[in-house]
Amino acid sequence: MSVSVPATTLNVVLNGFFEDNSFVSGSEATAADAEIFKALSAAPDAAVFPHLARWHKHIASKGDAINSLKAAEAPAAAAAADEEEDDDDMDLFGSDEEEDAEAEKLKAQRLAEYKAKKEAKGPGKAAKSMITYDIKPWDAETDLDEVESLVKSIQMDGLVWAQAGKRIPIAFGVKKLQLNATVEDDKVSTDELAEKIMEFEDHVQSVDVAAFMKL
């Protein structure tokens, strides 16, 4: 008799194995890797199972060649993904209740270790971009200093305006205001910011993104 193990428990065990091993057996992918790859129901979450996800991505990159991988001698982790003939559940542990308890203990330990490592690293650096806006007035009589002041009055979490904008001639004495803004991508939308600038409709005829660069 055997016990079917939930996919999450299997992922925890395999993630721990691939933390110290590149492949199931030896220094290259073998049929044992293909067997475990096919046994997984879905690609593992890289945020929770980074080592397993790295291995899974590498094996997946082989495409149809997975089916022609050579056999390995005594694969170290093959027992972790034996498919049962009647269903696709993983048979990883015996029916002994003590071994089942050990599996749960190992799962909790691996998850606790991952959480501790993640908390130790702290939050990652926020992704930022620099946007250059071309802001065109209605005519040459529009005071661009006032336009710049109005635009910079827009304040949003994650938005920083450049200290000074540029006045660039267009035609017939009309100049446009070119202004840079640094934004945190998760907090400020390029289009939303442009719409806020357009709300100064008495001064602004149009707004265009002249340049966009990831920082």
Side-chain angles (χ1 to χ4, degrees):
M1 182 179 176
S2 62
V3 175
S4 295
V5 179
T8 301
T9 301
L10 176 64
N11 286 351
V12 169
V13 176
L14 290 176
N15 187 66
F17 176 82
F18 287 117
E19 182 174 6
D20 300 315
N21 298 273
S22 297
F23 302 100
V24 173
S25 178
S27 59
E28 61 181 3
T30 65
D33 291 277
E35 183 179 358
I36 292 180
F37 179 85
K38 294 174 183 178
L40 295 175
S41 60
D45 185 345
V48 180
F49 308 108
H51 309 297
L52 177 58
R54 167 186 52 76
W55 168 86
H56 187 278
K57 182 177 180 181
H58 178 74
I59 300 302
S61 68
K62 295 183 177 297
D64 294 339
I66 292 175
N67 299 320
S68 59
L69 291 174
K70 67 180 182 179
E73 182 177 351
D82 289 330
E83 291 187 327
E84 295 195 4
E85 294 181 358
D86 295 335
D87 55 37
D88 293 329
D89 290 340
M90 305 312 121
D91 183 9
L92 190 62
F93 303 99
S95 59
D96 192 288
E97 292 183 0
E98 182 178 346
E99 292 182 0
D100 200 31
E102 283 297 320
E104 291 300 320
K105 181 179 179 180
L106 179 59
K107 172 185 174 182
Q109 178 183 341
R110 293 296 185 186
L111 291 176
E113 289 175 356
Y114 169 77
K115 183 178 180 180
K117 289 181 180 179
K118 188 174 182 180
E119 290 177 349
K121 291 180 179 179
K125 184 178 179 181
K128 295 183 178 181
S129 302
M130 185 173 72
I131 311 168
T132 301
Y133 288 104
D134 277 350
I135 304 168
K136 296 177 183 178
W138 287 104
D139 52 40
E141 302 300 320
T142 303
D143 186 347
L144 292 184
D145 289 340
E146 184 179 358
V147 173
E148 181 172 352
S149 179
L150 288 170
V151 171
K152 288 184 177 179
S153 70
I154 300 173
Q155 299 296 317
M156 302 171 64
D157 185 25
L159 167 65
V160 178
W161 291 107
Q163 288 187 349
K166 295 180 181 180
R167 278 65 172 164
I168 301 176
I170 303 175
F172 307 110
V174 179
K175 295 180 180 180
K176 66 181 177 181
L177 172 65
Q178 190 171 86
L179 193 59
N180 292 332
T182 300
V183 302
E184 291 186 25
D185 297 342
D186 291 340
K187 296 180 178 180
V188 181
S189 163
T190 304
D191 293 337
E192 180 184 3
L193 188 51
E195 289 175 1
K196 286 183 176 293
I197 297 173
M198 283 299 299
E199 290 179 2
F200 302 114
E201 55 187 20
D202 292 338
H203 298 78
V204 177
Q205 181 191 68
S206 66
V207 178
D208 296 305
V209 175
F212 183 93
M213 180 176 66
K214 289 287 187 180
L215 300 179

